[in-house]
Structures are given as C-alpha cells and as structure tokens.
Amino acid sequence: MLRLGRREFEPHEPVIMAIVNRTPDSFYDQGATFRDEPALARVEQAVADGAAIIDVGGVKAGPGEEVTAEEEVRRTVGFVAEVRRRFPDVIISVDTWRAEVGAAVCEVGADLLNDAWGGVDPGLAEVAARYGVGLVCTHAGGAEPRTRPHRVRYDDVMADILDVTVGLAERAVELGVPRESVLIDPGHDFGKNTRHSLEATRRLDEMVATGWPVLVSLSNKDFVGETLDKPVKERVVGTLATTAVSAWLGAQVYRVHEVAETRQVLDMVAAIAGWREPAVARRGLA
C-alpha cells in the first residue's frame, strides 16, 4: 500500500504526478507556469485530467542561472500554500534537493519531497521524517545538482541504481519516514547517458521486485529525444511508449507533462494486464 497525503493506493493502481514548474526557464514549457494564475490553472486542469499528485519545482534541473535557496523558497512556498487551500485533497509534492526548502514547503502543507538528486543533501530525508511526509529516493549517479553527465560509466547500471535507491529508502525509514510513503526512482537522464536510461527502463522490473513503489520521470526527456532523434516538442509519442513499457513492468507513479494522454496509456495497460475492467464492454454482446 502506497500512502501519500490523504490518499492510499493499491499496488497495481497507477498514479499520475503532474509537473508544475515555477521557473522562468524550464526546458519544456519555457516558463509557462512561472506566474501564479497560469500555474494554478495548470493544477486545476491536471487534477481534472486525472493527476493525483502535483509536483512543484522551483529550480530547473539543467544548468542555468543560479537559484539560491531563498529564491527557491520564494517561488514555491506561497504557491504550495495556495494549492493546499484550493485543492485540499490533492497530494502536493515539491521537487527539491535542499533540506531548508523542504522544511519550508512542509510547513505550508506539502505531502511529498521529490529528491531528484539522490540525497546530495542528507538533511532532506531528516526533514521528511520530522514532518511525516513522503520521500522520493532517486539515483543520480553521484552527480551534483544541475550538472549534465559527461562520459559516465557503470559496470552494471541497474545494480548501481538498486544499491543507491534502496540504500536511500532504508535510511529514510530508519530516520522515521513512513515506510508506506517512500518511493524509489531510477533517475532517467540524471547521471546517465541515453543507453543507461534505456537499460534502466528495460530492467525496471528489478526495481519493482525490491518491494518499494517505483516512480518514473520520463516525460519528454533527452533519452527519448536521442533515441528517436526528436526535439523537445516532438517527444510525446516516445514518452508514452516508454510509459506503457514501464507500466507493464510494474512502475506505479508517473511524473508527466501530458496528464490526459498518460491516463489513457495507463488505463489501457492496466486493462490488458487484467487489473482494470474496460470502461465500456458492448462489442459482441448486443
């Protein structure tokens, strides 16, 4: 059972996490949700389309202008508080690697801390434990925040992913983070080249076999773009194909830009797997 905020999810119940970037320079939307009203409209639409989690980020993942902790707090805390007020039942996640930012957003109602940089600040897990919120434990290959991989090598990329993410998850539980609120993430593109990310996807069932709920953040990423030789705005089909494979292999949470399309993919895979009934079943019965 996965428990986040006020919600509980069965093991085969897919969960959508919608991305809401509070940055002026995000790689995908170029700051479309930097201002409050467009960002709140995005939340409303994402929830209507089937997102259970809203993932708020105040710093873009890639290189760019420095964003201090104070500026990250300014971009996220007030927005999290307003989302909590308007959408009391939605699960609010904040994508941050900084403990001080994590504490600030938890004070105003965040339910989940999405540590995409693999525990670079060990205090973030301590914050999650102190506030009793969930934690995403990600493999980033030891990369520093906001850096791109360069000629990174692994003897066995999945073995490294398992060692790091399970270790982070176990540490989080030892600190007091509720076990049912801890997820592991292979960290596609983070500290990896395209072949590493493809292999991580192909072997995703090994992560699922650990028993920890698996989150994947695939949406329009570079490994999709390089695999198909497509620019950012033409990666949706590749993303959805990767989503279907990940769902079949047992991933549970999907961090995405395209919520409605992802919902259809996940519902279809669940029906094929026998975990969900068709919405309508008339064919051959009339």
Side-chain angles (χ1 to χ4, degrees), residues 264-278:
Q264 290 186 47
V265 169
L266 296 177
D267 286 350
M268 193 71 201
V269 172
I272 293 168
W275 302 325
R276 175 185 181 274
E277 291 296 316

Side-chain angles (χ1 to χ4, degrees), residues 17-30:
M17 170 189 275
I19 300 165
V20 180
N21 289 313
R22 302 288 291 151
T23 63
D25 53 357
S26 53
F27 88 99
Y28 185 68
D29 60 29
Q30 300 298 306

Side-chain angles (χ1 to χ4, degrees), residues 61-113:
E65 289 188 14
E66 180 186 3
V67 180
T68 64
E70 292 76 16
E71 173 62 14
E72 188 180 356
V73 165
R74 190 189 70 79
R75 293 178 180 184
T76 56
V77 170
F79 183 73
V80 168
E82 184 62 14
V83 173
R84 178 82 295 148
R85 185 184 73 80
R86 295 194 189 193
F87 304 91
D89 295 324
V90 78
I91 300 160
I92 301 175
S93 168
V94 176
D95 180 350
T96 186
W97 74 86
R98 291 165 164 150
E100 59 197 292
V101 177
V105 296
C106 286
E107 282 288 343
V108 295
D111 304 298
L112 177 65
L113 296 176

Side-chain angles (χ1 to χ4, degrees), residues 36-249:
D36 287 350
E37 286 311 312
L40 289 166
R42 160 69 174 164
V43 173
E44 185 172 11
Q45 187 62 57
V47 171
D49 287 342
I53 307 172
I54 300 298
D55 190 50
V56 179
V59 185
K60 81 173 211 175
E65 289 188 14
E66 180 186 3
V67 180
T68 64
E70 292 76 16
E71 173 62 14
E72 188 180 356
V73 165
R74 190 189 70 79
R75 293 178 180 184
T76 56
V77 170
F79 183 73
V80 168
E82 184 62 14
V83 173
R84 178 82 295 148
R85 185 184 73 80
R86 295 194 189 193
F87 304 91
D89 295 324
V90 78
I91 300 160
I92 301 175
S93 168
V94 176
D95 180 350
T96 186
W97 74 86
R98 291 165 164 150
E100 59 197 292
V101 177
V105 296
C106 286
E107 282 288 343
V108 295
D111 304 298
L112 177 65
L113 296 176
N114 181 11
D115 183 7
W117 289 102
V120 68
D121 182 347
L124 190 63
E126 297 169 10
V127 169
R130 185 161 74 247
Y131 286 91
V133 303
L135 183 70
V136 180
C137 300
T138 307
H139 180 273
E144 288 295 314
R146 307 194 67 194
T147 61
R148 298 196 189 280
H150 180 69
R151 299 190 182 280
V152 63
R153 295 174 60 88
Y154 299 97
D155 292 333
D156 182 329
V157 67
M158 183 49 75
D160 203 83
I161 288 169
L162 292 173
D163 183 59
V164 170
T165 58
V166 171
L168 289 170
E170 290 175 345
R171 174 180 180 267
V173 172
E174 288 171 2
L175 288 169
V177 181
R179 186 179 185 88
E180 63 274 15
S181 303
V182 176
L183 305 98
I184 59 175
D185 176 355
H188 289 80
D189 275 0
F190 281 57
K192 300 171 188 67
N193 62 32
T194 289
R195 288 184 174 86
H196 293 144
S197 292
L198 291 171
E199 182 172 352
T201 307
R202 186 162 58 247
R203 297 173 61 185
L204 206 61
D205 56 341
E206 295 177 43
M207 293 191 76
V208 174
T210 67
W212 297 99
V214 175
L215 179 151
V216 287
S217 182
L218 312 168
S219 196
N220 302 294
K221 283 194 167 179
D222 284 349
F223 83 96
V224 175
E226 289 193 355
T227 298
L228 301 177
D229 193 17
K230 294 293 184 183
V232 170
K233 293 298 184 180
E234 297 178 24
R235 298 176 184 177
V236 175
V237 174
T239 296
L240 295 176
T242 313
T243 298
V245 171
S246 300
W248 188 258
L249 292 175

